[in-house]
Amino acid sequence: MQSLELLAAASFFATLVAGFAVGGRLLWLARESHRAAEFFLGIGVTSLALAALVEVIAMELARGDEVGAAFPVEVVALFLHSTSASSLCFGIWRVFHPDRRWAFYLCVVTSALLFDSWMAVILPGQHSSVTGFTSWFHLHVASRAFASAWGATAALLHHRRLRRRLALGLVDRFTCHRFGLWSFALACTAAMLAMALVTNIGKGVLVFAWSPALLCVGVLGLLGAWALWFAFLPPQFYVRFVEGNAEVAASGGLA
């Protein structure tokens, strides 16, 4: 169990570092470019890292029987999760479907589900460790998973389009590879949330309380943090490696 806890701690730390670094970079780009896509994605990534940090603080307070202090912290954590998933949706819309009205409406509906379920979860006025998991809590997690899954799908489809252009020499190798990595990072987040939902419903506990789920989430967190970092803040040696290897460029880390 100790090794699993170490894995979870390493995964958590990697997620925070990658999230704040990539989110900060995107927000800086948004400040320079004044484009909505970078702004929404920057808010989404930064909020997710901050939400994870605040959520852990809330859980530690609850474990220490400080439920009165844990509840307002959990309120903030779930609000940040809602902000992150909503911003991700709008970022995906601006990057991949800027001229599609259905994509905008999907962002609005998902955001409504996120913030409505957030309000319903916090209405009892107690930490979820006291009230237990409710249908609203499950809806909140499912809505967050949907946002990440939509992003993963959109990035993967774009990656496949770029692979066809890559074969014709119309796009550089690392740009193609980058979208594959981004899709993989979002897929890891969606899978983590799906695992959390299954554990919450099936076992009635958090993922940290069930060893198989903890192992899964720990591995996915590390892989997702790596893919996010290398997609948006790639080291030069990795860029050179991908640009010199056509098969790696086309795979995007997905094959």
Side-chain angles (χ1 to χ4, degrees):
M1 187 63 181
Q2 186 177 7
S3 59
L4 285 180
E5 291 174 352
L6 288 174
L7 174 64
S11 176
F12 177 70
F13 180 74
T15 299
L16 290 185
V17 172
F20 285 127
V22 172
R25 174 62 176 163
L26 287 168
L27 289 174
W28 180 260
L29 289 175
R31 180 177 178 272
E32 293 183 331
S33 67
H34 303 289
R35 290 188 297 195
E38 287 92 337
F39 174 75
F40 283 126
L41 293 175
I43 292 294
V45 176
T46 305
S47 297
L48 181 59
L50 189 57
L53 181 60
V54 176
E55 190 172 25
V56 167
I57 295 173
M59 287 190 296
E60 290 301 317
L61 288 171
R63 287 175 183 173
D65 293 326
E66 299 182 50
V67 180
F71 171 67
V73 179
E74 185 184 38
V75 170
V76 174
L78 294 179
F79 177 81
L80 288 169
H81 276 307
S82 300
T83 301
S84 172
S86 175
S87 297
L88 173 62
C89 284
F90 281 100
I92 294 300
W93 164 54
R94 294 305 304 165
V95 172
F96 298 109
H97 311 290
D99 57 344
R100 295 292 187 268
R101 186 166 295 181
W102 65 262
F104 172 74
Y105 290 150
L106 187 59
C107 294
V108 173
V109 170
T110 304
S111 298
L113 289 175
L114 285 162
F115 287 102
D116 284 351
S117 58
W118 166 71
M119 286 189 289
V121 168
I122 68 173
L123 279 178
Q126 293 177 305
H127 192 275
S128 58
S129 64
V130 177
T131 59
F133 301 119
T134 64
S135 297
W136 287 109
F137 186 89
H138 298 324
L139 177 60
H140 189 261
V141 176
S143 299
R144 288 157 52 195
F146 169 78
S148 294
W150 179 33
T153 303
L156 178 61
L157 292 176
H158 189 68
H159 170 67
R160 289 181 174 177
R161 286 192 291 269
L162 290 181
R163 286 179 65 175
R164 292 192 290 270
R165 297 180 186 178
L166 180 63
L168 298 174
L170 300 177
V171 66
D172 68 88
R173 289 178 177 178
F174 194 78
T175 297
C176 178
H177 185 72
R178 185 192 299 270
F179 280 95
L181 286 178
W182 188 21
S183 174
F184 183 72
L186 289 169
C188 286
T189 301
M192 290 171 68
L193 289 167
M195 176 58 69
L197 190 62
V198 168
T199 306
N200 296 160
I201 296 175
K203 295 289 183 177
V205 296
L206 293 169
V207 290
F208 308 105
W210 188 36
S211 296
L214 183 61
L215 174 62
C216 233
V217 168
V219 172
L220 287 169
L222 285 174
L223 291 174
W226 163 77
L228 182 68
W229 185 283
F230 276 55
F232 289 92
L233 299 171
Q236 282 304 308
F237 78 86
Y238 188 72
V239 175
R240 290 193 296 269
F241 169 69
V242 172
E243 290 178 342
N245 192 316
E247 291 184 3
V248 173
S251 72
L254 303 174

